[in-house]
Amino acid sequence: MTTPDHHKTNSTSQSDHSYCRTLQPLQHHTRHQDSNALLALALLLDFLPHERAHQLHQRFASEVLYELPQGRSPLFLSRHDIMSWVNAI
């Protein structure tokens, strides 16, 4: 009788572990999205009024920061790059 209960406990802990493994990449992706949104806001605040920067930062993150070639740091976007995007929208 103790074997089925023991087996049940093991299967539950195994499914809990696989559930945690599934969540970790999602949590990392969410943190990456949050950090890109904050970086987008910081970059826009250098050139735009607060209200306008807050309106555009999510869009800027998705259209500009996420589209940068791998290895290119968003910190090296020029004023011209940022203002060209702002003026184009």
Side-chain angles (χ1 to χ4, degrees), residues 3 7 12 17 23 28 41 44-45 51 54 64-65:
T3 305
H7 179 70
T12 301
H17 289 295
L23 283 181
H28 174 72
L41 180 59
L44 291 173
L45 283 170
E51 185 178 318
H54 280 277
V64 177
L65 299 187

Side-chain angles (χ1 to χ4, degrees), residues 8-72:
K8 184 176 180 180
T9 302
N10 283 341
S11 65
T12 301
S13 68
Q14 286 173 350
S15 69
D16 288 346
H17 289 295
S18 62
Y19 175 74
C20 290
R21 279 193 302 267
T22 304
L23 283 181
Q24 287 173 349
L26 295 175
Q27 289 171 344
H28 174 72
H29 183 70
T30 301
R31 282 192 301 260
H32 182 68
Q33 285 179 325
D34 291 344
S35 63
N36 274 343
L38 287 174
L39 180 55
L41 180 59
L43 291 169
L44 291 173
L45 283 170
D46 278 346
F47 306 107
L48 299 174
H50 287 329
E51 185 178 318
R52 187 71 174 144
H54 280 277
Q55 290 170 347
L56 296 176
H57 79 280
Q58 293 286 352
R59 185 172 171 185
F60 184 75
S62 66
E63 293 181 12
V64 177
L65 299 187
Y66 290 117
E67 298 302 320
L68 288 173
Q70 187 173 358
R72 174 139 189 243

Side-chain angles (χ1 to χ4, degrees), residues 44 47-48 52 56 60 81-89:
L44 291 173
F47 306 107
L48 299 174
R52 187 71 174 144
L56 296 176
F60 184 75
D81 295 333
I82 295 168
M83 292 310 296
S84 292
W85 180 85
V86 169
N87 291 329
I89 58 166

